[in-house]
Amino acid sequence: KLFNKGKLQVDSTHTLYYEEYGNPNGLPALYLHGGPGAGFPPNAYRFFDPNLYRIILLDQRGACRSTPRGEVRHNTLSHLIEDCERLRKTLPNTPQWHVVFGGSWGSTLAIAYAQEYPQQINALVLWGVCLIRMQEVNWLFQKNGAALTDPKGWNDFSKAVGIDETIVDPSPSPPTTTTRGSSSKAESTTKDRRTLHAYYDRLMGNNASEKIAAAQAWDEWESRVHQRAYHRPCEDNQPSLLVK
């Protein structure tokens, strides 16, 4: 049950939106959504036992109900780390987070926050862990990575951002992997990331229709990757209780 919602102005540009669920006197638990920029889903509190936890759902900078929506100025990982700490200090009876829960980009932020403020976190719960390592970015945005598991999805995405990196072979061999520190990986990065760079240019450009088309194309590609990674969703399409 929702018992509180609020806004927190963190600088002259950004104001954060948050909600609190569960037990008002419970153990403070911070939910960090993915994206970046996705915003928290309305059912995210269901990951926690509401009798035990005071569940805080936060829309990060530029996301969903935080304002201004979609703003990327003053919106870096460092800013988001400090936002988590400022929220903790602002909320009453929160000497530390009993648990910080994050998935995908949320896991990236949770780990970074824990590294910066280890004394303010009792525990981390992470899923879909993403460390933004070179091999992870390459796997998503190069034609010899996730694209080989879904050629049609990759072809649609690359064409939508103006890059022709079509995969013709419908039954490709599994993608090869390289170990961290491989010189060949560094040498091929710029060329192989043409689709990523094209996506960024369109998303951050001044053409409104291209921005929307690029964002929709990325959302579709990411969704297809997720669908292939998770084979057994909850039957009612709701998250299960994970934190007890």
Side-chain angles (χ1 to χ4, degrees):
K1 180 180 178 180
L2 173 68
F3 68 83
N4 182 43
K5 58 183 177 181
K7 295 182 178 181
L8 175 62
Q9 185 172 357
V10 290
D11 61 22
S12 59
T13 301
H14 292 275
T15 299
L16 308 182
Y17 176 83
Y18 64 90
E19 293 180 351
E20 295 187 77
Y21 292 81
N23 183 349
N25 299 312
L27 300 170
L30 176 63
Y31 176 95
L32 297 176
H33 63 72
F40 64 80
N43 57 2
Y45 60 85
R46 292 188 59 183
F47 284 110
F48 303 85
D49 183 342
N51 296 314
L52 180 62
Y53 287 96
R54 183 172 124 242
I55 307 152
I56 296 94
L57 310 181
L58 171 67
D59 279 336
Q60 298 159 29
R61 294 191 183 209
C64 208
R65 285 156 290 190
S66 290
T67 58
R69 188 173 184 179
E71 180 59 71
V72 296
R73 293 176 300 166
H74 310 124
N75 193 346
T76 66
L77 179 58
S78 296
H79 287 105
L80 302 184
I81 291 171
E82 295 306 315
D83 290 347
C84 294
E85 180 62 6
R86 181 172 296 191
L87 179 63
R88 184 194 65 79
K89 291 180 177 179
T90 299
L91 294 173
N93 303 316
T94 314
Q96 71 168 185
W97 300 114
H98 186 76
V99 61
V100 175
F101 181 104
S104 191
W105 165 256
S107 73
T108 310
L109 177 55
I111 293 170
Y113 175 69
Q115 288 177 319
E116 187 69 21
Y117 293 100
Q119 302 305 316
Q120 309 306 342
I121 298 180
N122 177 67
L124 290 173
V125 175
L126 308 174
W127 59 273
V129 177
C130 180
L131 302 178
I132 315 296
R133 296 171 299 174
M134 182 179 292
Q135 55 263 50
E136 293 172 328
V137 176
N138 289 347
W139 186 77
L140 269 176
F141 288 103
Q142 290 183 0
K143 62 187 299 184
N144 64 341
L148 294 181
T149 70
D150 184 5
K152 182 183 184 305
W154 172 257
N155 294 343
D156 291 344
F157 173 60
S158 63
K159 289 177 181 177
V161 297
I163 297 294
D164 184 9
E165 284 198 323
T166 301
I167 297 177
V168 178
D169 184 0
S171 302
S173 57
T176 57
T177 59
T178 55
T179 57
R180 185 163 59 181
S182 169
S183 60
S184 61
K185 181 170 56 181
E187 291 168 359
S188 63
T189 294
T190 300
K191 178 181 177 182
D192 291 345
R193 288 187 178 179
R194 291 187 306 147
T195 300
L196 171 59
H197 297 160
Y199 166 64
Y200 176 86
D201 290 342
R202 293 204 174 196
L203 188 67
M204 305 302 292
N206 297 320
N207 186 309
S209 61
E210 285 190 352
K211 288 165 70 81
I212 294 297
Q216 291 175 335
W218 160 249
D219 183 66
E220 175 64 20
W221 169 237
E222 183 184 36
S223 296
R224 293 177 70 111
V225 172
H226 284 176
Q227 288 169 7
R228 288 179 174 272
Y230 299 102
H231 300 294
R232 294 195 303 170
C234 296
E235 291 183 1
D236 62 353
N237 200 30
Q238 300 291 332
S240 302
L241 183 67
L242 293 183
V243 184
K244 300 181 179 180

